[in-house]
Amino acid sequence: FLVWSFFLRILLRMLLSYKGWMWSPHGARVTSKPSIFDRIAQGLLFLMTGRRNLPWKLSLPVTLWMGACKMIIGRKPKLLSLQNCLPKLPVTSVAGTMKRYLKTVRPLVDDEQYSRIEALANDFQK
């Protein structure tokens, strides 16, 4: 049981690090007769959401990804039960953050305020 649980946790971490859904052409209206893959996707989405005839199409890889996540996660997970399965987020350097901050602030303030903010940012970096 312990090995199976560890395996599912690793598999879920790999699934949750998938970012292909962001670039998938989703949200398009269904205008043509659905293909067999669309029917499979609609069936899987019905199993996951309980809604029939969703007005959009998702690509098959995204639908399979959603189905795999749903099968591993289960029907109603607890609030923080998946916290350990999430991929680790990168931490940016302080110098890079200050550079982006100063670049963002520059158009919003005048020269005097900017020099003061820049001095504070340089002091914070030390």
Side-chain angles (χ1 to χ4, degrees):
F1 179 75
L2 188 61
V3 173
W4 180 250
S5 176
F6 183 70
F7 171 73
L8 287 179
R9 185 177 301 268
I10 297 292
L11 182 62
L12 188 59
R13 179 173 284 182
M14 288 175 18
L15 283 170
L16 290 177
S17 63
Y18 171 70
K19 296 176 184 75
W21 60 271
M22 289 188 275
W23 295 280
S24 176
H26 60 284
R29 290 281 182 203
V30 178
T31 57
S32 61
K33 183 177 178 184
S35 68
I36 187 69
F37 295 117
D38 294 331
R39 291 178 191 270
I40 292 170
Q42 290 285 334
L44 286 173
L45 285 172
F46 171 70
L47 290 175
M48 290 183 285
T49 62
R51 294 179 56 200
R52 290 189 186 273
N53 299 326
L54 295 171
W56 62 85
K57 296 190 321 184
L58 294 173
S59 66
L60 186 63
V62 172
T63 304
L64 294 176
W65 169 74
M66 287 174 56
C69 287
K70 190 67 174 175
M71 283 176 28
I72 293 173
I73 292 171
R75 197 92 171 120
K76 293 182 179 180
K78 302 257 188 246
L79 179 63
L80 298 175
S81 63
L82 302 173
Q83 194 72 25
N84 294 335
C85 297
L86 293 174
K88 303 294 182 216
L89 295 175
V91 178
T92 60
S93 67
V94 175
T97 304
M98 287 299 143
K99 185 177 175 183
R100 284 192 310 275
Y101 170 68
L102 291 173
K103 183 179 175 183
T104 305
V105 166
R106 183 65 187 126
L108 303 175
V109 296
D110 60 8
D111 292 336
E112 183 181 318
Q113 288 177 329
Y114 181 74
S115 62
R116 183 176 164 269
I117 290 173
E118 190 175 27
L120 287 172
N122 289 333
D123 188 42
F124 179 79
Q125 252 181 335
K126 294 178 185 176

